[in-house]
Every structure is written in structure tokens, then in C-alpha cells.
Short mmCIF file of all heavy atoms in Angstrom, two decimals:
data_model
loop_
_atom_site.label_atom_id
_atom_site.label_comp_id
_atom_site.label_asym_id
_atom_site.label_seq_id
_atom_site.Cartn_x
_atom_site.Cartn_y
_atom_site.Cartn_z
N MET A 1 12.19 6.16 3.93
CA MET A 1 11.49 4.89 4.03
C MET A 1 10.61 4.71 2.80
O MET A 1 10.14 5.69 2.23
CB MET A 1 10.68 4.83 5.30
CG MET A 1 11.56 4.71 6.54
SD MET A 1 10.64 4.91 8.06
CE MET A 1 10.66 6.67 8.20
N ARG A 2 10.41 3.46 2.45
CA ARG A 2 9.69 3.18 1.21
C ARG A 2 8.47 2.29 1.50
O ARG A 2 8.59 1.31 2.24
CB ARG A 2 10.64 2.45 0.26
CG ARG A 2 10.05 2.15 -1.11
CD ARG A 2 10.96 1.20 -1.89
NE ARG A 2 12.35 1.62 -1.88
CZ ARG A 2 12.92 2.39 -2.81
NH1 ARG A 2 12.21 2.80 -3.83
NH2 ARG A 2 14.18 2.73 -2.71
N ILE A 3 7.35 2.64 0.91
CA ILE A 3 6.14 1.82 0.98
C ILE A 3 5.88 1.28 -0.41
O ILE A 3 5.93 2.03 -1.39
CB ILE A 3 4.93 2.63 1.44
CG1 ILE A 3 5.21 3.34 2.76
CG2 ILE A 3 3.69 1.74 1.59
CD1 ILE A 3 4.15 4.38 3.13
N THR A 4 5.63 -0.01 -0.51
CA THR A 4 5.34 -0.60 -1.81
C THR A 4 4.03 -1.40 -1.76
O THR A 4 3.64 -1.91 -0.71
CB THR A 4 6.46 -1.57 -2.25
OG1 THR A 4 6.55 -2.64 -1.31
CG2 THR A 4 7.80 -0.85 -2.35
N ILE A 5 3.37 -1.49 -2.90
CA ILE A 5 2.19 -2.35 -3.04
C ILE A 5 2.38 -3.22 -4.27
O ILE A 5 2.65 -2.72 -5.36
CB ILE A 5 0.90 -1.53 -3.21
CG1 ILE A 5 0.66 -0.68 -1.96
CG2 ILE A 5 -0.29 -2.45 -3.44
CD1 ILE A 5 -0.58 0.19 -2.07
N ASP A 6 2.24 -4.51 -4.06
CA ASP A 6 2.22 -5.46 -5.17
C ASP A 6 0.76 -5.63 -5.56
O ASP A 6 -0.01 -6.34 -4.89
CB ASP A 6 2.83 -6.80 -4.72
CG ASP A 6 2.89 -7.81 -5.87
OD1 ASP A 6 2.09 -7.70 -6.81
OD2 ASP A 6 3.72 -8.73 -5.78
N LYS A 7 0.36 -4.95 -6.62
CA LYS A 7 -1.06 -4.92 -6.97
C LYS A 7 -1.56 -6.23 -7.54
O LYS A 7 -2.76 -6.50 -7.55
CB LYS A 7 -1.32 -3.76 -7.91
CG LYS A 7 -0.94 -2.43 -7.24
CD LYS A 7 -1.34 -1.25 -8.03
CE LYS A 7 -2.81 -1.00 -7.91
NZ LYS A 7 -3.18 0.35 -8.33
N GLU A 8 -0.64 -7.06 -8.01
CA GLU A 8 -1.07 -8.37 -8.52
C GLU A 8 -1.49 -9.28 -7.37
O GLU A 8 -2.32 -10.16 -7.53
CB GLU A 8 0.05 -8.99 -9.34
CG GLU A 8 0.32 -8.18 -10.60
CD GLU A 8 1.10 -8.95 -11.63
OE1 GLU A 8 2.03 -9.66 -11.24
OE2 GLU A 8 0.76 -8.82 -12.81
N LYS A 9 -0.90 -9.06 -6.18
CA LYS A 9 -1.28 -9.86 -5.00
C LYS A 9 -2.56 -9.34 -4.35
O LYS A 9 -3.32 -10.09 -3.75
CB LYS A 9 -0.17 -9.81 -3.95
CG LYS A 9 1.03 -10.67 -4.24
CD LYS A 9 1.95 -10.64 -3.04
CE LYS A 9 3.19 -11.48 -3.24
NZ LYS A 9 4.12 -11.33 -2.09
N CYS A 10 -2.79 -8.03 -4.42
CA CYS A 10 -3.91 -7.41 -3.70
C CYS A 10 -5.25 -8.01 -4.13
O CYS A 10 -5.52 -8.12 -5.32
CB CYS A 10 -3.90 -5.90 -3.95
SG CYS A 10 -5.30 -5.04 -3.22
N ILE A 11 -6.06 -8.36 -3.12
CA ILE A 11 -7.39 -8.92 -3.41
C ILE A 11 -8.50 -7.90 -3.11
O ILE A 11 -9.68 -8.23 -3.13
CB ILE A 11 -7.63 -10.21 -2.60
CG1 ILE A 11 -7.46 -9.97 -1.10
CG2 ILE A 11 -6.69 -11.33 -3.09
CD1 ILE A 11 -7.86 -11.14 -0.21
N GLY A 12 -8.10 -6.67 -2.77
CA GLY A 12 -9.08 -5.60 -2.58
C GLY A 12 -9.95 -5.76 -1.35
O GLY A 12 -11.08 -5.28 -1.34
N CYS A 13 -9.41 -6.37 -0.30
CA CYS A 13 -10.23 -6.64 0.89
C CYS A 13 -10.53 -5.37 1.69
O CYS A 13 -11.47 -5.34 2.48
CB CYS A 13 -9.55 -7.66 1.78
SG CYS A 13 -8.06 -7.04 2.60
N GLY A 14 -9.69 -4.35 1.54
CA GLY A 14 -9.94 -3.07 2.23
C GLY A 14 -9.39 -2.98 3.64
O GLY A 14 -9.55 -1.94 4.29
N SER A 15 -8.72 -4.00 4.13
CA SER A 15 -8.22 -3.97 5.52
C SER A 15 -7.19 -2.86 5.72
O SER A 15 -7.19 -2.18 6.74
CB SER A 15 -7.61 -5.32 5.89
OG SER A 15 -8.58 -6.32 5.88
N CYS A 16 -6.30 -2.69 4.76
CA CYS A 16 -5.26 -1.66 4.90
C CYS A 16 -5.90 -0.27 4.93
O CYS A 16 -5.44 0.62 5.65
CB CYS A 16 -4.22 -1.77 3.79
SG CYS A 16 -4.89 -1.62 2.12
N VAL A 17 -6.93 -0.08 4.16
CA VAL A 17 -7.63 1.20 4.13
C VAL A 17 -8.29 1.47 5.48
O VAL A 17 -8.28 2.59 5.98
CB VAL A 17 -8.69 1.22 3.01
CG1 VAL A 17 -9.42 2.55 2.98
CG2 VAL A 17 -8.05 0.94 1.66
N ALA A 18 -8.83 0.42 6.09
CA ALA A 18 -9.51 0.57 7.38
C ALA A 18 -8.53 0.99 8.48
O ALA A 18 -8.87 1.82 9.33
CB ALA A 18 -10.20 -0.74 7.77
N VAL A 19 -7.30 0.45 8.47
CA VAL A 19 -6.36 0.77 9.55
C VAL A 19 -5.45 1.95 9.19
O VAL A 19 -4.85 2.55 10.08
CB VAL A 19 -5.48 -0.44 9.95
CG1 VAL A 19 -6.35 -1.57 10.46
CG2 VAL A 19 -4.59 -0.90 8.82
N CYS A 20 -5.36 2.30 7.91
CA CYS A 20 -4.41 3.36 7.53
C CYS A 20 -4.92 4.14 6.31
O CYS A 20 -4.31 4.09 5.23
CB CYS A 20 -3.04 2.75 7.24
SG CYS A 20 -1.76 4.01 7.03
N PRO A 21 -6.00 4.89 6.49
CA PRO A 21 -6.52 5.68 5.36
C PRO A 21 -5.59 6.83 4.97
O PRO A 21 -5.78 7.43 3.92
CB PRO A 21 -7.88 6.19 5.88
CG PRO A 21 -7.75 6.16 7.37
CD PRO A 21 -6.85 4.99 7.69
N ASP A 22 -4.60 7.14 5.82
CA ASP A 22 -3.64 8.19 5.45
C ASP A 22 -2.88 7.82 4.18
O ASP A 22 -2.54 8.68 3.38
CB ASP A 22 -2.61 8.40 6.57
CG ASP A 22 -3.22 9.03 7.81
OD1 ASP A 22 -4.37 9.47 7.74
OD2 ASP A 22 -2.52 9.06 8.84
N PHE A 23 -2.60 6.53 4.01
CA PHE A 23 -1.77 6.09 2.89
C PHE A 23 -2.51 5.27 1.84
O PHE A 23 -2.09 5.24 0.69
CB PHE A 23 -0.59 5.25 3.38
CG PHE A 23 0.52 6.06 3.98
CD1 PHE A 23 0.95 5.79 5.27
CD2 PHE A 23 1.14 7.07 3.27
CE1 PHE A 23 1.97 6.53 5.85
CE2 PHE A 23 2.17 7.82 3.82
CZ PHE A 23 2.58 7.55 5.12
N PHE A 24 -3.55 4.56 2.26
CA PHE A 24 -4.17 3.60 1.35
C PHE A 24 -5.61 3.95 1.02
O PHE A 24 -6.37 4.40 1.88
CB PHE A 24 -4.12 2.19 1.96
CG PHE A 24 -2.74 1.77 2.38
CD1 PHE A 24 -2.43 1.58 3.72
CD2 PHE A 24 -1.74 1.57 1.44
CE1 PHE A 24 -1.14 1.20 4.11
CE2 PHE A 24 -0.45 1.19 1.81
CZ PHE A 24 -0.16 1.01 3.15
N GLU A 25 -5.99 3.69 -0.22
CA GLU A 25 -7.39 3.82 -0.63
C GLU A 25 -7.64 2.79 -1.73
O GLU A 25 -6.70 2.32 -2.39
CB GLU A 25 -7.69 5.22 -1.15
CG GLU A 25 -6.95 5.60 -2.41
CD GLU A 25 -7.21 7.03 -2.85
OE1 GLU A 25 -8.05 7.70 -2.23
OE2 GLU A 25 -6.56 7.47 -3.81
N ILE A 26 -8.90 2.42 -1.90
CA ILE A 26 -9.24 1.48 -2.97
C ILE A 26 -9.37 2.25 -4.27
O ILE A 26 -10.10 3.24 -4.34
CB ILE A 26 -10.55 0.72 -2.65
CG1 ILE A 26 -10.38 -0.14 -1.39
CG2 ILE A 26 -10.95 -0.16 -3.84
CD1 ILE A 26 -9.35 -1.26 -1.50
N GLY A 27 -8.64 1.81 -5.28
CA GLY A 27 -8.64 2.50 -6.57
C GLY A 27 -9.75 2.01 -7.48
O GLY A 27 -10.57 1.17 -7.11
N ASP A 28 -9.76 2.52 -8.69
CA ASP A 28 -10.81 2.21 -9.66
C ASP A 28 -10.88 0.73 -10.00
O ASP A 28 -11.93 0.21 -10.34
CB ASP A 28 -10.57 2.99 -10.96
CG ASP A 28 -10.78 4.49 -10.75
OD1 ASP A 28 -11.44 4.84 -9.76
OD2 ASP A 28 -10.28 5.26 -11.57
N ASN A 29 -9.74 0.05 -9.92
CA ASN A 29 -9.71 -1.37 -10.28
C ASN A 29 -9.98 -2.28 -9.08
O ASN A 29 -9.69 -3.47 -9.12
CB ASN A 29 -8.36 -1.73 -10.91
CG ASN A 29 -7.21 -1.44 -9.97
OD1 ASN A 29 -7.41 -0.95 -8.86
ND2 ASN A 29 -6.00 -1.76 -10.39
N SER A 30 -10.53 -1.70 -7.99
CA SER A 30 -10.85 -2.44 -6.76
C SER A 30 -9.61 -2.99 -6.07
O SER A 30 -9.70 -3.94 -5.30
CB SER A 30 -11.83 -3.58 -7.04
OG SER A 30 -13.04 -3.06 -7.54
N LYS A 31 -8.46 -2.40 -6.34
CA LYS A 31 -7.24 -2.76 -5.64
C LYS A 31 -6.70 -1.52 -4.95
O LYS A 31 -7.02 -0.39 -5.31
CB LYS A 31 -6.20 -3.32 -6.62
CG LYS A 31 -6.70 -4.60 -7.28
CD LYS A 31 -5.58 -5.34 -7.95
CE LYS A 31 -6.12 -6.67 -8.48
NZ LYS A 31 -5.04 -7.62 -8.74
N THR A 32 -5.85 -1.75 -3.96
CA THR A 32 -5.34 -0.61 -3.19
C THR A 32 -4.48 0.31 -4.03
O THR A 32 -3.65 -0.14 -4.82
CB THR A 32 -4.52 -1.13 -2.00
OG1 THR A 32 -5.40 -1.74 -1.10
CG2 THR A 32 -3.83 0.02 -1.28
N HIS A 33 -4.71 1.60 -3.83
CA HIS A 33 -3.85 2.63 -4.42
C HIS A 33 -3.13 3.33 -3.27
O HIS A 33 -3.73 3.61 -2.23
CB HIS A 33 -4.69 3.63 -5.20
CG HIS A 33 -3.94 4.86 -5.58
ND1 HIS A 33 -2.83 4.83 -6.39
CD2 HIS A 33 -4.13 6.16 -5.24
CE1 HIS A 33 -2.36 6.06 -6.55
NE2 HIS A 33 -3.13 6.88 -5.86
N LEU A 34 -1.85 3.55 -3.48
CA LEU A 34 -1.03 4.25 -2.49
C LEU A 34 -1.20 5.75 -2.74
O LEU A 34 -0.79 6.26 -3.79
CB LEU A 34 0.41 3.80 -2.69
CG LEU A 34 1.49 4.16 -1.69
CD1 LEU A 34 1.08 3.80 -0.27
CD2 LEU A 34 2.78 3.45 -2.09
N LYS A 35 -1.81 6.42 -1.79
CA LYS A 35 -2.10 7.84 -1.97
C LYS A 35 -0.82 8.63 -2.20
O LYS A 35 0.11 8.54 -1.40
CB LYS A 35 -2.81 8.40 -0.74
CG LYS A 35 -4.23 7.90 -0.57
CD LYS A 35 -4.87 8.55 0.65
CE LYS A 35 -6.32 8.16 0.80
NZ LYS A 35 -6.92 8.73 2.03
N GLY A 36 -0.76 9.37 -3.28
CA GLY A 36 0.41 10.18 -3.58
C GLY A 36 1.39 9.51 -4.52
O GLY A 36 2.31 10.15 -5.01
N ALA A 37 1.22 8.21 -4.76
CA ALA A 37 2.12 7.48 -5.66
C ALA A 37 1.59 7.54 -7.09
O ALA A 37 0.40 7.74 -7.32
CB ALA A 37 2.25 6.02 -5.22
N GLU A 38 2.51 7.36 -8.01
CA GLU A 38 2.12 7.25 -9.41
C GLU A 38 1.28 5.99 -9.57
O GLU A 38 1.73 4.90 -9.19
CB GLU A 38 3.39 7.15 -10.27
CG GLU A 38 3.17 7.28 -11.74
CD GLU A 38 2.83 8.69 -12.18
OE1 GLU A 38 3.23 9.65 -11.48
OE2 GLU A 38 2.16 8.82 -13.21
N PRO A 39 0.05 6.06 -10.09
CA PRO A 39 -0.76 4.84 -10.24
C PRO A 39 -0.07 3.83 -11.15
O PRO A 39 0.51 4.19 -12.18
CB PRO A 39 -2.05 5.36 -10.89
CG PRO A 39 -2.10 6.80 -10.54
CD PRO A 39 -0.67 7.26 -10.50
N GLY A 40 -0.09 2.56 -10.74
CA GLY A 40 0.55 1.51 -11.52
C GLY A 40 -0.35 0.29 -11.62
O GLY A 40 -1.17 0.04 -10.74
N GLU A 41 -0.21 -0.45 -12.69
CA GLU A 41 -1.03 -1.66 -12.87
C GLU A 41 -0.54 -2.81 -12.00
O GLU A 41 -1.33 -3.59 -11.47
CB GLU A 41 -0.98 -2.09 -14.34
CG GLU A 41 -1.73 -1.19 -15.29
CD GLU A 41 -3.24 -1.24 -15.07
OE1 GLU A 41 -3.77 -2.35 -14.92
OE2 GLU A 41 -3.87 -0.17 -15.03
N GLU A 42 0.77 -2.94 -11.86
CA GLU A 42 1.34 -4.10 -11.16
C GLU A 42 1.95 -3.73 -9.82
O GLU A 42 1.99 -4.55 -8.90
CB GLU A 42 2.41 -4.76 -12.03
CG GLU A 42 1.85 -5.29 -13.34
CD GLU A 42 2.93 -5.83 -14.25
OE1 GLU A 42 4.11 -5.80 -13.86
OE2 GLU A 42 2.58 -6.26 -15.35
N ARG A 43 2.44 -2.50 -9.70
CA ARG A 43 3.18 -2.13 -8.51
C ARG A 43 3.09 -0.62 -8.31
O ARG A 43 3.05 0.14 -9.28
CB ARG A 43 4.65 -2.55 -8.69
CG ARG A 43 5.59 -2.17 -7.59
CD ARG A 43 7.02 -2.57 -7.98
NE ARG A 43 8.00 -1.94 -7.12
CZ ARG A 43 8.43 -2.46 -5.99
NH1 ARG A 43 7.99 -3.64 -5.60
NH2 ARG A 43 9.31 -1.83 -5.24
N GLU A 44 3.07 -0.20 -7.05
CA GLU A 44 3.18 1.21 -6.74
C GLU A 44 4.17 1.35 -5.59
O GLU A 44 4.26 0.46 -4.74
CB GLU A 44 1.82 1.79 -6.32
CG GLU A 44 0.82 1.83 -7.45
CD GLU A 44 -0.50 2.46 -7.05
OE1 GLU A 44 -0.62 2.99 -5.93
OE2 GLU A 44 -1.43 2.40 -7.87
N GLU A 45 4.90 2.44 -5.57
CA GLU A 45 5.80 2.68 -4.45
C GLU A 45 5.96 4.16 -4.20
O GLU A 45 5.73 4.98 -5.08
CB GLU A 45 7.15 2.02 -4.68
CG GLU A 45 8.00 2.65 -5.75
CD GLU A 45 9.39 2.04 -5.78
OE1 GLU A 45 9.47 0.81 -5.89
OE2 GLU A 45 10.37 2.80 -5.69
N MET A 46 6.35 4.48 -2.97
CA MET A 46 6.48 5.87 -2.58
C MET A 46 7.48 5.98 -1.44
O MET A 46 7.53 5.12 -0.55
CB MET A 46 5.10 6.37 -2.12
CG MET A 46 5.03 7.82 -1.77
SD MET A 46 3.30 8.36 -1.57
CE MET A 46 2.84 7.52 -0.06
N LEU A 47 8.31 7.03 -1.48
CA LEU A 47 9.23 7.30 -0.38
C LEU A 47 8.56 8.28 0.58
O LEU A 47 7.94 9.25 0.15
CB LEU A 47 10.53 7.91 -0.91
CG LEU A 47 11.37 6.99 -1.81
CD1 LEU A 47 12.58 7.76 -2.35
CD2 LEU A 47 11.83 5.76 -1.05
N VAL A 48 8.68 8.01 1.88
CA VAL A 48 8.08 8.89 2.89
C VAL A 48 9.07 9.13 4.01
O VAL A 48 9.95 8.32 4.27
CB VAL A 48 6.78 8.27 3.47
CG1 VAL A 48 5.71 8.15 2.41
CG2 VAL A 48 7.04 6.92 4.12
N GLU A 49 8.92 10.27 4.69
CA GLU A 49 9.76 10.57 5.85
C GLU A 49 9.25 9.82 7.07
O GLU A 49 10.02 9.30 7.86
CB GLU A 49 9.71 12.07 6.13
CG GLU A 49 10.25 12.92 5.02
CD GLU A 49 11.61 13.50 5.33
OE1 GLU A 49 11.86 13.73 6.52
OE2 GLU A 49 12.39 13.68 4.40
N ASP A 50 7.93 9.81 7.21
CA ASP A 50 7.30 9.20 8.40
C ASP A 50 6.42 8.05 7.94
O ASP A 50 5.48 8.25 7.18
CB ASP A 50 6.46 10.26 9.12
CG ASP A 50 5.83 9.71 10.38
OD1 ASP A 50 5.98 8.51 10.67
OD2 ASP A 50 5.15 10.50 11.07
N ILE A 51 6.74 6.86 8.42
CA ILE A 51 6.02 5.67 7.97
C ILE A 51 4.60 5.62 8.53
O ILE A 51 3.72 4.95 7.97
CB ILE A 51 6.81 4.40 8.36
CG1 ILE A 51 6.58 3.29 7.36
CG2 ILE A 51 6.52 3.95 9.77
CD1 ILE A 51 7.25 3.49 6.04
N GLY A 52 4.36 6.37 9.60
CA GLY A 52 3.02 6.50 10.16
C GLY A 52 2.35 5.15 10.37
O GLY A 52 2.93 4.23 10.95
N CYS A 53 1.13 5.01 9.87
CA CYS A 53 0.35 3.79 10.08
C CYS A 53 0.60 2.74 9.00
O CYS A 53 -0.05 1.68 9.01
CB CYS A 53 -1.13 4.13 10.15
SG CYS A 53 -1.74 5.02 8.69
N ALA A 54 1.53 2.99 8.08
CA ALA A 54 1.72 2.05 6.96
C ALA A 54 2.12 0.65 7.44
O ALA A 54 1.73 -0.35 6.82
CB ALA A 54 2.76 2.59 5.99
N GLN A 55 2.88 0.59 8.53
CA GLN A 55 3.27 -0.74 9.04
C GLN A 55 2.04 -1.54 9.47
O GLN A 55 1.98 -2.75 9.27
CB GLN A 55 4.25 -0.60 10.21
CG GLN A 55 4.77 -1.93 10.73
CD GLN A 55 5.63 -2.64 9.69
OE1 GLN A 55 6.62 -2.09 9.23
NE2 GLN A 55 5.25 -3.87 9.32
N GLU A 56 1.07 -0.86 10.06
CA GLU A 56 -0.17 -1.54 10.46
C GLU A 56 -0.88 -2.09 9.23
O GLU A 56 -1.44 -3.19 9.26
CB GLU A 56 -1.10 -0.59 11.22
CG GLU A 56 -0.54 -0.16 12.55
CD GLU A 56 -1.35 0.97 13.16
OE1 GLU A 56 -2.59 0.88 13.15
OE2 GLU A 56 -0.75 1.93 13.64
N GLY A 57 -0.88 -1.33 8.17
CA GLY A 57 -1.48 -1.80 6.91
C GLY A 57 -0.76 -3.03 6.39
O GLY A 57 -1.39 -4.00 5.95
N ALA A 58 0.57 -2.99 6.44
CA ALA A 58 1.35 -4.14 5.98
C ALA A 58 1.08 -5.36 6.85
O ALA A 58 0.95 -6.49 6.35
CB ALA A 58 2.84 -3.79 5.99
N ASP A 59 0.98 -5.14 8.16
CA ASP A 59 0.78 -6.25 9.09
C ASP A 59 -0.58 -6.93 8.90
O ASP A 59 -0.72 -8.13 9.09
CB ASP A 59 0.91 -5.77 10.54
CG ASP A 59 2.34 -5.39 10.90
OD1 ASP A 59 3.26 -5.78 10.16
OD2 ASP A 59 2.52 -4.70 11.93
N ILE A 60 -1.59 -6.14 8.55
CA ILE A 60 -2.94 -6.69 8.48
C ILE A 60 -3.26 -7.29 7.11
O ILE A 60 -4.21 -8.07 6.97
CB ILE A 60 -3.98 -5.60 8.84
CG1 ILE A 60 -5.27 -6.24 9.35
CG2 ILE A 60 -4.26 -4.67 7.66
CD1 ILE A 60 -6.23 -5.27 9.99
N CYS A 61 -2.46 -6.98 6.10
CA CYS A 61 -2.75 -7.47 4.75
C CYS A 61 -2.67 -9.01 4.70
O CYS A 61 -1.63 -9.58 5.01
CB CYS A 61 -1.77 -6.87 3.75
SG CYS A 61 -2.06 -7.46 2.07
N PRO A 62 -3.74 -9.68 4.30
CA PRO A 62 -3.76 -11.15 4.34
C PRO A 62 -2.92 -11.80 3.24
O PRO A 62 -2.64 -13.01 3.32
CB PRO A 62 -5.25 -11.48 4.14
CG PRO A 62 -5.79 -10.32 3.37
CD PRO A 62 -5.04 -9.12 3.86
N VAL A 63 -2.51 -11.04 2.25
CA VAL A 63 -1.74 -11.64 1.15
C VAL A 63 -0.33 -11.03 1.03
O VAL A 63 0.36 -11.23 0.03
CB VAL A 63 -2.49 -11.51 -0.19
CG1 VAL A 63 -3.77 -12.34 -0.18
CG2 VAL A 63 -2.81 -10.05 -0.50
N GLU A 64 0.06 -10.28 2.07
CA GLU A 64 1.41 -9.67 2.12
C GLU A 64 1.72 -8.87 0.86
O GLU A 64 2.81 -8.99 0.28
CB GLU A 64 2.47 -10.76 2.39
CG GLU A 64 2.24 -11.47 3.71
CD GLU A 64 3.31 -12.50 4.03
OE1 GLU A 64 4.17 -12.75 3.18
OE2 GLU A 64 3.27 -13.04 5.14
N ALA A 65 0.76 -8.06 0.47
CA ALA A 65 0.95 -7.25 -0.74
C ALA A 65 1.64 -5.92 -0.45
O ALA A 65 2.09 -5.25 -1.37
CB ALA A 65 -0.42 -6.98 -1.38
N ILE A 66 1.72 -5.54 0.85
CA ILE A 66 2.29 -4.24 1.22
C ILE A 66 3.67 -4.45 1.81
O ILE A 66 3.86 -5.28 2.71
CB ILE A 66 1.39 -3.53 2.24
CG1 ILE A 66 0.02 -3.27 1.63
CG2 ILE A 66 2.04 -2.20 2.69
CD1 ILE A 66 -1.00 -2.74 2.62
N GLY A 67 4.64 -3.70 1.29
CA GLY A 67 5.99 -3.75 1.82
C GLY A 67 6.36 -2.44 2.47
O GLY A 67 5.97 -1.37 2.00
N VAL A 68 7.09 -2.50 3.59
CA VAL A 68 7.59 -1.31 4.27
C VAL A 68 9.09 -1.53 4.50
O VAL A 68 9.48 -2.48 5.16
CB VAL A 68 6.87 -1.09 5.62
CG1 VAL A 68 7.51 0.05 6.37
CG2 VAL A 68 5.38 -0.84 5.39
N GLU A 69 9.89 -0.65 3.90
CA GLU A 69 11.35 -0.75 4.06
C GLU A 69 11.83 0.47 4.81
O GLU A 69 11.58 1.60 4.41
CB GLU A 69 12.01 -0.81 2.69
CG GLU A 69 11.59 -2.01 1.87
CD GLU A 69 12.00 -1.87 0.40
OE1 GLU A 69 12.91 -1.07 0.12
OE2 GLU A 69 11.40 -2.55 -0.43
N ARG A 70 12.54 0.24 5.91
CA ARG A 70 13.03 1.36 6.74
C ARG A 70 14.49 1.66 6.45
O ARG A 70 15.21 0.81 6.03
CB ARG A 70 12.86 1.02 8.22
CG ARG A 70 11.40 0.91 8.59
CD ARG A 70 11.22 0.40 10.00
NE ARG A 70 9.83 0.12 10.30
CZ ARG A 70 8.98 1.00 10.85
NH1 ARG A 70 9.41 2.19 11.15
NH2 ARG A 70 7.73 0.67 11.07
S1 LIG B 1 -5.01 -5.33 2.92
FE1 LIG B 1 -3.77 -6.18 1.23
S2 LIG B 1 -5.22 -7.35 0.00
FE2 LIG B 1 -6.42 -6.04 1.31
S3 LIG B 1 -6.81 -4.18 0.07
FE3 LIG B 1 -4.94 -3.80 1.28
S4 LIG B 1 -3.22 -4.40 -0.05
FE4 LIG B 1 -5.11 -5.31 -0.90
#
């Protein structure tokens, strides 16, 4: 499964971090960083075995910046 973040869409509201700190944290640029992913300016992505709480993060994001592909 793949988790993606479109960092150009992210407004740094912190909602994904609140519901899913296992995968998301606010990075230096005040936008979400995907824990364990290569830091990127425009996009980050990571393959995982267990999607865990990432779907909740995607569901709560107000700008649909988080993608979850199963
Ligand atoms: S919920 Fe969306 S807009 Fe808010 S910090 Fe997370 S990725 Fe960015």
C-alpha cells in the first residue's frame, strides 16, 4: 500500500498529525512530513505493509493532500 502527500496542497493545519502521529508530523516548512519517507518539496510517498491510521489522516485532511492507495 502506498501513502502519498501533495505538499503543495498542504496548508499545515496539523489535523493528520492529531489523528495519525504514527505516519505524519509537521516538518520544518510547516507542512506535513511523512515519517520514514524521503523528504520532498512537492511530494512525498512511502510504501507500507499496514496502512494503520493513515486512512483517517487522509479522510480528515481539508484539502485532500493525502492519498492512500491499497
Ligand atoms: S491534514 Fe492535510 S492540510 Fe492539514 S497538515 Fe495534514 S496534509 Fe496538511
